[in-house]
Amino acid sequence: MIRAVRAVRVLPLLLLPLLLVSCGTEKAGAGADTGSTADTGTGTAGTDKGTGSSADAAELAARAGALGIAPEFVYVTEAPGFAVAQQSVGVFGGDGFHAAYFSQKTHAQFELFVDRGTLTAENCPKTQLGQGSGESVACERDGDAWYRKAGGQHEYALPRDGHVIRLVGDANRLDRAVLREAAEATHHPDAAELTALLPPAPEGAATEPVERGDLPPVGDGAPNNEVGASG
């Protein structure tokens, strides 16, 4: 199930232009600023690989883990004229990933979400779009992706093994073709993209979960905090 965004980590899209004017936009998997196109073809949307050397797995785990993000959920994309707003990069839900992309030329923008779960013909109309509008969701199959619309927003969603990649934008300001192109271009970051996307992990940051010795070896019981009769 797609969970709500943590407000302290994800910036509302309406605030991004104000931040980008003063802070600039970092590029990670971004194209030249050529604006959007008007084509609305509906071929197959997939996931392509980056063109640079793959990011080191340990480095990716350390950087993502420091932000509470599962490393396998870190994706970047490319769309002509769009660059990632580094201030928007952070955790989504429990351990998912979020980033927003913005065009300084057209002021169009879209968000990239990655979270656990799946998307099927049965649950697609029932799964909220973006941060939720409360309106019914219209679903259309497009290759191995879903094109979805609700409440003035539209989305391309790509189910993967145990998670879903979603790209969401304003249907009145962002062409479907641009959103689809960004969906096709999603990939795990290469070394250069990771450097631009996520800050270095704090020195000595753990990359593996810390085992707790007070948890029972089986079942889902709570830690044993009993101190005895004298406690």
Side-chain angles (χ1 to χ4, degrees), residues 4-12 15 87-88 91-93 98 131:
V5 180
R6 291 184 184 175
V8 297
R9 295 294 184 90
V10 178
L11 299 176
L15 297 180
Q87 305 93 330
S88 71
V91 68
F92 171 67
H98 170 271
Q131 299 185 43

Side-chain angles (χ1 to χ4, degrees), residues 5-223:
V5 180
R6 291 184 184 175
V8 297
R9 295 294 184 90
V10 178
L11 299 176
L13 283 178
L14 293 177
L15 297 180
L16 283 176
L18 298 177
L19 289 173
L20 295 173
V21 169
S22 58
C23 301
T25 304
E26 297 294 333
K27 291 186 178 181
D33 198 355
T34 57
S36 61
T37 62
D39 179 27
T40 57
T42 55
T44 299
T47 302
D48 297 338
K49 295 181 180 179
T51 56
S53 59
S54 298
D56 179 76
E59 179 69 13
L60 173 58
R63 290 188 180 219
L67 298 177
I69 303 167
E72 65 269 26
F73 295 163
V74 178
Y75 283 83
V76 294
T77 189
E78 299 176 3
F82 288 81
V84 67
Q86 197 170 45
Q87 305 93 330
S88 71
V89 176
V91 68
F92 171 67
D95 58 357
F97 176 74
H98 170 271
Y101 286 74
F102 181 76
S103 169
Q104 291 186 332
K105 181 177 181 179
T106 67
H107 295 170
Q109 50 204 9
F110 63 86
E111 293 182 275
L112 186 155
F113 298 94
V114 186
D115 199 17
R116 299 184 186 277
T118 188
L119 202 61
T120 65
E122 182 179 358
N123 71 8
C124 184
K126 306 172 186 177
T127 303
Q128 70 175 18
L129 189 152
Q131 299 185 43
S133 65
E135 299 188 27
S136 60
V137 178
C139 297
E140 174 189 330
R141 193 70 177 175
D142 187 349
D144 64 348
W146 288 97
Y147 175 67
R148 310 170 68 227
K149 293 187 69 175
Q153 291 186 307
H154 59 165
E155 169 187 282
Y156 263 95
L158 297 91
R160 290 294 176 255
D161 187 14
H163 61 277
V164 180
I165 307 166
R166 301 187 298 123
L167 297 97
V168 188
D170 187 326
N172 297 316
R173 302 192 63 181
L174 185 71
D175 292 335
R176 173 175 176 175
V178 175
L179 201 59
R180 181 179 179 278
E181 182 176 355
E184 289 180 329
T186 54
H187 60 275
H188 292 297
D190 61 29
E193 290 169 332
L194 178 61
T195 298
L197 187 70
L198 298 179
E203 193 170 337
T207 59
E208 296 294 335
V210 177
E211 293 189 13
R212 291 184 56 182
D214 59 344
L215 291 177
V218 294
D220 57 356

